[in-house]
Amino acid sequence: MTQLTDPFSSLNEIKSMMEKSSRFLSLSGLSGVAAGLIGLVGAGFAYLELTSQQYEAKDIPSLDGYFTSPLFCIAIVTLIISLMAGFLFTYLKSKKLQGTLWNHASRRMLINLGLPLVAGGLYLLKLMDLGYISMIAPGCLLFYGLALVNAVSTHWVISDTWGI
């Protein structure tokens, strides 16, 4: 005679197996909130810097002097703190769910996200060198959007087509 098990425990076991074998990277929602808040603080510091110095368009340093400007330092510190917060919250979530943080899906997403960002960064540096300062903000938004679309849509297409 076969022994019957509790159907709810069977469902919970199946759910647990499906979550562990999931091919999607589980980013923490708190990492997005933290990045937004850190970005607002960085924008506040940049605003204070811009209003204290009374910058004009002709005063914006060339590419050679840009890497030593206070605005560039604010941008780099904001980026590093945002990345650290995103990594921390995602690590804590994966530890709580007993999953792995670095797997095939996360590597593929990082590559698909990174390529347009690096290409956009090089393009924007060239625009800065040529003095097209008014094109920097729209270029940042454009390449960031392209990177997100590339990371998400490539993952969906590959996983749906080949069952990865």
Side-chain angles (χ1 to χ4, degrees), residues 63-83:
L63 191 58
D64 296 332
Y66 187 75
F67 295 115
T68 58
S69 74
L71 291 175
F72 185 76
C73 293
I74 291 170
I76 291 298
V77 169
T78 302
L79 175 68
I80 290 171
I81 293 173
S82 295
L83 289 174

Side-chain angles (χ1 to χ4, degrees), residues 7-8 12 16 21 29 31 44-45 47 53 55-56 63 72 77 79-80 91 95 100 104 108 110 115 129 136 140:
F8 290 111
N12 285 335
S16 174
S21 68
S31 63
F45 280 119
Y47 176 77
Q53 297 295 326
Y55 281 94
E56 293 182 21
L63 191 58
F72 185 76
V77 169
L79 175 68
I80 290 171
Y91 172 75
K95 187 176 179 182
T100 59
H104 181 68
R108 189 173 58 221
L110 186 64
L115 288 175
D129 189 36
I136 301 298
C140 287

Side-chain angles (χ1 to χ4, degrees), residues 70-132:
L71 291 175
F72 185 76
C73 293
I74 291 170
I76 291 298
V77 169
T78 302
L79 175 68
I80 290 171
I81 293 173
S82 295
L83 289 174
M84 287 175 24
F87 176 78
L88 174 71
F89 287 124
T90 303
Y91 172 75
L92 291 175
K93 182 178 179 182
S94 70
K95 187 176 179 182
K96 179 182 173 184
L97 296 175
Q98 298 175 344
T100 59
L101 181 64
W102 189 249
N103 55 24
H104 181 68
S106 60
R107 283 190 295 272
R108 189 173 58 221
M109 189 194 77
L110 186 64
I111 290 170
N112 290 332
L113 182 74
L115 288 175
L117 285 180
V118 169
L122 294 173
Y123 176 73
L124 295 174
L125 285 174
K126 186 60 179 173
L127 284 180
M128 232 187 313
D129 189 36
L130 295 173
Y132 295 117

Side-chain angles (χ1 to χ4, degrees), residues 15 50 77 100 157 163:
K15 179 182 174 190
L50 287 172
V77 169
T100 59
V157 168

